[in-house]
Structures are given as C-alpha cells and as structure tokens.
Amino acid sequence: MNSPVPFPDDLHVHPGPALLSGIAQGPSLPAHRTQYGVVPNVDTRTLTELVTAVGLRGRGGAAFPFAIKLGAVLERAGRTRRPVVVVNASEGEPASSKDTALALTRPHLVLDGAVAAAQALRANKVHVVLPGERPFAAAGLRRALAERDDPVEIVEHTAEPRFVAGQAKAVVELIEGRTNLPVTTWQPEAESGVGGRPTLLSNAETWAHVGLLVHVGATAYRRFGTSGEPGTALLSVTTPDAVPHVHEVEYGARMRDVLPPSVVGAPVLLGGFHGSWATWETVASLRVSVPGMRSLGVALGAGVVHAPGPDACPLAVTVRITDYLASQSARRCGPCLNGLPALALSLHRVLDGSGTRSRVEELASLVVRRGACAHPDGTVRLVRSLFAALPGEILAHAAGGCLAADRSRRLAS
Amino acid sequence: MSHQLRVDWPACKGRGLCHELLPEIVDLDEWGYPIVTGPITDDLRPDAASAVRACPRLALRIVD
Ligand code: SF4
Ligand code: SF4
C-alpha cells in the first residue's frame, strides 16, 4: 500500500542558522572542510561534556538524552568490548524529510559527528544505514562517503522499504545480516547491540548536532535556542500540493512561522504518523520545544509537521494513515498483525457513521505495548489524539456531516 | 522485587497454553494471544516457571 503522504522525490531545504548554514556552498567535502576544518580529536570526557552542556536529545522521535545513551555505552564498553557507532539515516516515516535534507546538503556534518564519536570511543566500526525508499538521499550519502578518508572503517547498509525498518532493533538486525525487522530484545542496544557490542545508535540529525558541537564547541552552539533548551531542530513540513519543506528553527521559535497561509485555521498533525493531532489554536500558540510541547499533550517527535489544510478531513486522513500503518506491520506479532487492521476497520466505521468510538478504544487498548516494537503504540497515539484533540470532527461524522467541508467554505468566504 | 512475565511477540503464535497454565495473570485477547494482567506474585512463581517451560514457542520470559 502506498503512503497517504508520498515519499518525496524532491524537497525544498531552507538555509538555517546552524546545521543548515552555508548550504549554498554545496555538499562537497572541500566546501565542508573550508567551513569547519578537519574532524577534531575529542576524548570521551570532552564528548560527554559537550553533549551534556547543551542537553542534546536524540532526534529520531523519542528525544532521549544523548548523554545518558553515551554514558550507558561507555560503562559497558569499559567492562567488555569496543563499541560500535551507527548512523541511522533510514527515515522510514514518509512525512519526514530532515535526514534526506542532511544527506543532500550536510552529509559531512553527520559523518563528522559519527567519526568523532567513534574515535573518542575507540569504536570498532561506524555503520551508516541508508534509506530504502529515498534513492536520491542514499546517493547523496554515498557520494559523501566516497569523498572521505577516515581513520575508522565505515560500512554502509540499505534499509528495507518499510515503515518499521528504521526502528533501532530492526537496524541492528540489518547490520547483523538478518531480516531488517524489529525483534524482541532483553537489553537496550547501548548495552548489547551489533554483535553484542555496546552500540551508540542515533538518527542522522542527532549525529549532525554532534558534528556541529565538536567543530564549534558548546558556547557557539548555545548562541541559538533558549537557555533551557539550546540549539536548533529540523522540521519537515508537508502541505497540500507542495514539495516537502525542511526548516532549521531555534528552540523557542513559533511553530506557526513555518506554515504557509494556505493551511492557517486547520488542524495539524505533529510528530508524524506516530504523532498527535492538534487544533489550529494549539498550533498557533506553540513554540518549538520538547518539554513545552509535551506539557500541551503533543510531541515534537522527529520534527514532522503535516498540515493537510482546511479542505482535508482529519478523520479521513487518520483513516488513510492507519490503513497504511496496518499494512506496514511486520506481521510477526499477533496483537499488531491482527489488531492494527481491526483498528483501521473500526475507524472506517466511525468515518462512515456506522461505528463507535468505544470499539476504537477497545482495540487501541488491545494493541498498545504488545509488540516487539513501538509501531502499535505509535499508531494508537495517532488515533487517540484524533479523538482527544478534535472531538468536533468525530461528532460531525456521527451526525452524517464533516467539518472539513464547513471549514473550507468558511475560510473561502 | 516483583517479577513480570514478558512475551516475545514475534515468537508467540497464540492459542494460549500459557493462559491454561496461568489463568491468574494471563488472559487471552480476541485473537488468542496472551494479555498479561499483573505481576508474578510469590505464590505464582512455580506456575509461571512451568508456563515458561511449557510454551511451545519458547516465547515467555520472567524478567525483573
Ligand atoms: S509490533 Fe508490529 S511492526 Fe513491530 S515488530 Fe511486531 S508486528 Fe512488526
Ligand atoms: S504458550 Fe507461548 S506461544 Fe502459546 S500463547 Fe502463550 S506465549 Fe504464545
């Protein structure tokens, strides 16, 4: 099944203050070295201090503090074996384009971050996982890899074209030569990942921030953002009839500033297909912030902002996304393979007015936390957020109507 | 320290032998897969251990 938001074959990358500064000079290694110089040698103490000083969080969606992950890898590495570094650029979420943007404009910042960490950790290898459904992004990273001559071995892999292929445990499976699907693990990959080694696995954007930090230092990094949340984040913005736009924004910036006038007034899906719906009023008041958005019941996630516009019915959009997510289940875990199609069906029935919210909730509680990966949990987050944030849209369908039609009429007049 | 029963979901193929052996803390969902409803209390330790041994797919584990 095709994704309701297609995988991009083109995108618009806006220049930004930090990661995306100087992109007009192109992605080549000479241009990158002119801007930043060679990869500095850092030790694990300096690396830990840098990521702690700016409170760096993982950009793959969970916003987990990087320093804690690094600490877990260091502790295990000290006792056992040399660790492994993994750059996860698989970007299986169709509405996300930020790692694609980095692959096209800033591949060497990503790779510098991973190489600097690998040298600090005396890592055995760096694995780079390329996207399976974005050939132009994969080509960008391959070109960059071919230009480099690093003192550490870099191995590339290509993810399967599947939504859950980029999930951390699935990536470890891929690197180990098994099927690129999530499995049950009893230890986090930071303790026991690739080949049982402590594994520092992060998303491409996270590595770009590490790269920037080792090049410019914490003080320069902190020039952007707020004092509580320094730095910037990449946002992937999808709107009707436009190629995806990628913006680098400072923490604390207004979310609405990345949205075009054409989508003003309509609900927005924040955090992607595993994210949450927000009313326009919420979006209009929102600042880009991990804790700030959490306190409002939404999540920045991997920075995906999908604004289908006033003509789109959020219930219909959710039905299409849930159908797609059900088709992307790796079909290995019983509750996920049976429950997600049933959940999608129950939503179709709410859409056509023949079903109830209680059946949707019954199925949601049956699938949540009952799989090898967070795919069921993310799908449930999406579905529950629709009912929580946009109850009016649901009521309108129960009465045989649809608010999208009213909304586009009102905004047109 | 209370122990939990965890299911290796890709391994589990349903049908619910675990529910028969440990109905106190294992229900079945509408497709026949186990729903773990609570922690393994001390009096259930032996039954939980036999369920782990009996699972034909080796899909159960006792974790802290
Ligand atoms: S929970 Fe679903 S998507 Fe995740 S591994 Fe299991 S079957 Fe696959
Ligand atoms: S006995 Fe094992 S395979 Fe059967 S339902 Fe229970 S966990 Fe699944």
Side-chain angles (χ1 to χ4, degrees), chain A residues 169 182-186 332-335 337-340 342 359 362-363 366-367 369-372, chain B residues 6-13 27-36 58-63:
Chain A
K169 299 174 208 169
V183 291
T184 304
T185 52
W186 314 94
R332 301 217 284 188
C333 311
L337 93 90
N338 292 287
L340 292 192
R359 176 63 178 155
E362 179 185 17
L363 289 162
L366 271 187
V367 301
R369 284 196 301 281
R370 292 179 70 223
Chain B
R6 259 190 66 188
V7 184
D8 178 349
W9 291 110
C12 168
K13 288 291 169 270
D27 278 350
L28 291 184
D29 66 18
E30 52 193 82
W31 310 288
Y33 292 90
I35 301 176
V36 181
L58 304 177
L60 292 172
R61 258 211 204 192
I62 297 170
V63 297

Side-chain angles (χ1 to χ4, degrees), chain A residues 46-64:
Chain A
T46 312
L47 184 61
T48 305
E49 282 168 4
L50 284 171
V51 298
T52 306
V54 305
L56 182 65
R57 292 171 183 272
R59 307 307 175 95
F64 191 75

Side-chain angles (χ1 to χ4, degrees), chain A residues 164 182 328-333 336-337 370-376, chain B residues 10:
Chain A
V164 296
Q328 296 297 300
S329 150
R331 304 195 57 77
R332 301 217 284 188
C333 311
C336 181
L337 93 90
R370 292 179 70 223
C373 76
H375 188 56

